[in-house]
Amino acid sequence: MNAEDETEAATGSTQERARSRLALALDVASAGEATALARRLRPHFSVVKVGLELFVAEGPDVVRALTGEGFDVFLDLKLHDIPNTVGRAAARAGGLGVRYLTVHLAGGEQMVRAAVEGFASASPGAPGSGILGVTVLTSEPEAGDEVLAERARLAASAGCVGAVCASADLPVVRPAATRLVLVVPGIRMEGSDRGDQARSATPGSALASGADLLVIGRTVTAAADPEAAAALVSASLLGGSWQQH
Ligand code: C5P
């Protein structure tokens, strides 16, 4: 390999590492738009997130379409109900072959365990797939560090594969859930409009604070040129200290 090829190979693998840390929020109302967006931005995102809007509009078919195209699907339904109901819904999600399903940790230990068991009972068992526990919502400002740490410990003890938290909460959540995949939404580029995200962070700062997977939504999807915006997000990660973790 000559020096130029080596540089290209190194950049390629660094981009691949950035890609492995980025999830694209498909917050659109139709399967057509969702799959088109996912395909266009595939070079930059390893995971695609199907949230309430898309799932309510299109149901499990859109999940099947995305998994059928080889995407790792993060089904963000933030379930919170009695344990039996959540366990059964989680089993259906596991059966769809999604990588992640979210449930609220505020639902308590029995409910979270039911979700973990339900998902595992039906999942094809892809390594690293399972339940993500949502720690606190931004709209729950009264939840202090103690509640946050307690929920992170619950995610770990109940068998979740990961937890969702704000970047600012990583210093509390990480020590309480050392082995979990920590997923962080609310990502904005430096100097951009934060929109309705009260507790935003840049991609580089969230990874440097210990995030494993960043959820990127309007930063890319609302941009005039989504490919260029996604390329900027990945480029902002190149050379960051997070690559040593
Ligand atoms: O604001 P943005 O478009 O980047 O949001 C991307 C995704 O992150 C949305 O699908 C939203 O549900 C999720 N999310 C969030 N803020 C939180 C928790 C989740 O924006 N505090």
Side-chain angles (χ1 to χ4, degrees), residues 42 78 84 224 232 241:
R42 192 196 282 264
K78 297 190 177 74
N84 182 57
L232 272 181
S241 57

Side-chain angles (χ1 to χ4, degrees), residues 130-198:
I131 300 295
L132 298 178
V134 176
T135 52
V136 295
L137 288 178
T138 317
S139 50
E140 200 184 358
E142 67 281 8
D145 285 357
E146 248 169 64
V147 170
L148 199 58
E150 192 187 306
R151 290 193 187 157
R153 282 194 294 271
L154 166 60
S157 66
C160 292
V161 291
V164 181
C165 69
S167 183
D169 293 337
L170 286 165
V172 176
V173 173
R174 177 51 86 197
T178 49
R179 303 168 81 109
L180 296 196
V181 175
L182 296 186
V183 178
V184 172
I187 303 297
R188 294 290 179 270
M189 296 302 279
E190 191 76 56
S192 72
D193 180 4
R194 292 191 309 178
D196 54 5
Q197 286 290 0

Side-chain angles (χ1 to χ4, degrees), residues 80-84 86-87 103-117 131 150-151 153-160:
H80 186 168
D81 206 317
I82 58 168
N84 182 57
V86 169
V103 307
H104 276 291
L105 292 165
E109 182 173 355
Q110 263 190 308
M111 188 206 82
V112 178
R113 282 192 191 282
V116 168
E117 283 159 23
I131 300 295
E150 192 187 306
R151 290 193 187 157
R153 282 194 294 271
L154 166 60
S157 66
C160 292

